[in-house]
Amino acid sequence: MSEWNTRTKLVHGGTRRSQYNEVSEAIFLTQGFVYETAEQAEARFIETGEDEYIYARYGNPTVAMFENRIALLEGAEDAFATASGMAAVSGALTSLLKAGDHVVSAKALFGSCLYILENILTRYGVEVTFVDGTDLGAWRAAMRPDTKAVFFESMSNPTLEVIDIAAVSEIAHSVGATVVVDNVFSTPVFSNAIEQGADVVIYSATKHIDGQGRALGGIILSTKDFIRGTLEPYMKHTGGALSPFNAWVMLKGLETITLRVNAQAESAQKIAEVFEGHPALERTLYPGLKTHAQNALVQTQLGGKGGTVLSLDIKGGKEAAFKFLNAMNIAVISNNLGDAKSIATHPATTTHQRLSDDQKIELGIAPGLIRFSVGLEDTDDLIADLTQALEASQA
Ligand SMILES: *Cc1c(COP(=O)(O)O)cnc(C)c1O
């Protein structure tokens, strides 16, 4: 299977059939498994072999198919599926760190990721230094002999800065730190963070992997050593397991992810190009634009693809942004991304509401900023709708 090209891996990778030889992957909606004998139960608790299960918190055949399929896509030795993206982020960091360890993190983070680093890890005696993720000198200066991990979102939310995975990994590895990358915005279609040097890669499967806004899920990809040695003991005892039904949704999502994400990114590129310089906008942020600060890195790290999300900074602040949102007829006002439906978000009052005004300014979350996740609708329809909503924003 590892010889297959991506699209074949995504349709067939990891498939295990039951005695009925079903075509579509089976949903093993069971919490437990029956042992033939007492001796077999005893043996399985000593060592669990392939295709042997004990309890769905430890593992489940449908969940394993999802883990194996995405590991194949990423070229990772192993993977562990979790109940949500945040269970993946918190599980990867908490299983790795202990009191006295030092972490260096980019400061432009999804609100819940920031909460884990700023408010939770520090409570347990982990010291965290925040840096500007695009400044390699700042990463270098922050490294210490006791730096155990570095953490960053390879494309930040909602300002879409792109961080150099290979360069930051090299800096981190020079002090022996483990590189943990939240790769959600880059998507598993455009980015291969492991190949570029990351040690642990995380996705919220809730986003592009499901891609149709149905279920929560997460995935952690790494070496067999990290997944089985460090992560699994922590996850199976703390309970962040992915439900078999949600794993099945994610398996089906993987079958179509390249088609969806490529179409969404193509549409996003077109929309960004159309609206760049629009009189109602202060700024159009999209990594695929030549004017984006890290566009050269986008060429090497993401194959030139800017992803499926763009951010529009509307002139006139919050009032204009709200007029824009309320005037849209196609995109919905919500907070998911990577969905088939286009979704517009006002980060300053929703996903990033918790941040202080100073933090918002520092991270570029302007009062007029709208995050726009491009869906699978017709691009021309979206452009027409955005055009009239931008007009309405200035009225
Ligand atoms: C959504 C998101 C998460 C959290 O994922 P959930 O599935 O909602 O728990 C983490 N990181 C990033 C960058 C995200 O966009």
Side-chain angles (χ1 to χ4, degrees):
M1 285 182 184
S2 58
E3 301 308 309
W4 289 341
N5 289 310
T6 301
R7 280 173 55 175
T8 312
K9 285 177 182 170
L10 287 169
V11 174
H12 293 288
T15 301
R16 308 283 293 160
R17 295 201 163 88
S18 78
Q19 73 272 32
Y20 299 113
N21 257 334
E22 62 282 352
V23 174
S24 176
E25 297 75 2
I27 307 175
F28 291 94
L29 207 52
T30 178
Q31 126 291 332
F33 302 84
V34 175
Y35 312 105
E36 301 286 335
T37 61
E39 287 77 9
Q40 191 187 53
E42 182 186 33
R44 198 164 295 182
F45 272 79
I46 295 167
E47 195 181 347
T48 313
E50 208 191 338
D51 282 332
E52 292 180 353
Y53 296 92
I54 293 174
Y55 192 60
R57 175 152 46 76
Y58 296 13
N60 168 286
T62 311
V63 175
M65 283 193 267
F66 169 55
E67 291 168 338
N68 292 337
R69 185 169 293 177
I70 189 155
L72 206 57
L73 170 67
E74 289 281 332
E77 281 178 21
D78 213 340
F80 199 97
T82 56
S84 68
M86 286 324 303
V89 172
S90 62
L93 291 172
T94 315
S95 67
L96 179 66
L97 297 167
K98 60 176 187 333
D101 286 340
H102 176 240
V103 176
V104 183
S105 170
K107 63 185 168 198
L109 296 178
F110 177 68
S112 298
C113 293
L114 185 65
Y115 186 81
I116 287 176
L117 285 146
E118 207 173 30
N119 300 78
I120 299 183
L121 291 177
T122 49
R123 247 202 275 152
Y124 295 94
V126 173
E127 198 188 330
V128 184
T129 304
F130 289 99
V131 297
D132 172 350
T134 61
D135 180 352
L136 294 178
W139 283 106
R140 231 174 262 119
M143 292 300 151
R144 306 195 318 215
D146 61 341
T147 304
K148 186 72 191 288
V150 312
F151 180 77
F152 59 93
E153 293 170 17
S154 59
M155 194 188 281
S156 70
N157 169 27
T159 49
L160 309 173
E161 290 176 341
V162 182
I163 294 181
D164 190 333
I165 296 172
V168 175
S169 297
E170 197 183 321
I171 293 165
H173 290 157
S174 72
V175 295
T178 300
V179 178
V180 183
V181 178
D182 179 332
N183 219 25
V184 168
F185 277 64
S186 298
T187 83
V189 176
F190 300 137
S191 169
N192 191 329
I194 288 179
E195 199 179 281
Q196 285 151 358
D199 301 299
V200 181
V201 178
I202 289 161
Y203 291 102
S204 162
T206 315
K207 312 293 166 57
H208 305 85
I209 294 174
D210 174 358
Q212 291 170 71
R214 297 163 293 191
L216 287 173
I219 190 83
I220 303 163
L221 298 126
S222 187
T223 57
K224 207 162 239 14
D225 226 33
F226 179 84
I227 296 292
R228 297 304 148 196
T230 302
L231 183 78
E232 185 184 37
Y234 176 87
M235 290 306 306
K236 75 182 194 186
H237 296 300
T238 53
L242 181 63
S243 99
F245 182 82
N246 287 3
W248 178 82
V249 171
M250 301 310 173
L251 263 171
K252 292 319 219 180
L254 283 178
E255 291 182 352
T256 57
I257 192 171
T258 56
L259 304 176
R260 288 184 285 106
V261 167
N262 274 301
Q264 285 166 299
E266 204 178 296
S267 210
Q269 178 78 37
K270 233 185 249 173
I271 292 168
E273 284 170 6
V274 165
F275 291 104
E276 190 177 28
H278 189 285
L281 294 175
E282 299 280 0
R283 291 192 301 167
T284 301
L285 296 172
Y286 182 66
L289 288 175
K290 293 278 172 277
T291 50
H292 187 276
Q294 290 92 39
N295 188 258
L297 180 61
V298 170
Q299 303 306 318
T300 53
Q301 185 163 295
L302 294 159
K305 306 292 184 160
T308 66
V309 179
L310 53 121
S311 289
L312 304 171
D313 188 359
I314 298 176
K315 282 183 187 161
K318 176 182 165 183
E319 197 189 332
F322 276 28
K323 279 188 196 163
F324 169 85
L325 288 173
N326 293 332
M328 287 183 322
N329 293 316
I330 297 175
V332 297
I333 305 169
S334 188
N335 31 254
N336 192 19
L337 60 101
D339 197 286
K341 294 177 174 64
S342 289
I343 294 175
T345 311
H346 185 243
T349 53
T350 60
T351 53
H352 293 69
Q353 188 184 89
R354 203 178 58 80
L355 301 185
S356 68
D357 287 346
D358 285 350
Q359 275 177 310
K360 284 176 195 164
I361 290 165
E362 198 186 345
L363 294 177
I365 302 168
L369 193 79
I370 297 286
R371 186 185 78 188
F372 194 82
S373 169
V374 179
L376 287 170
E377 301 94 339
D378 183 90
T379 311
D380 292 338
D381 288 346
L382 289 176
I383 290 170
D385 194 30
L386 287 167
T387 302
Q388 66 79 26
L390 278 177
E391 237 162 69
S393 78
Q394 304 300 301

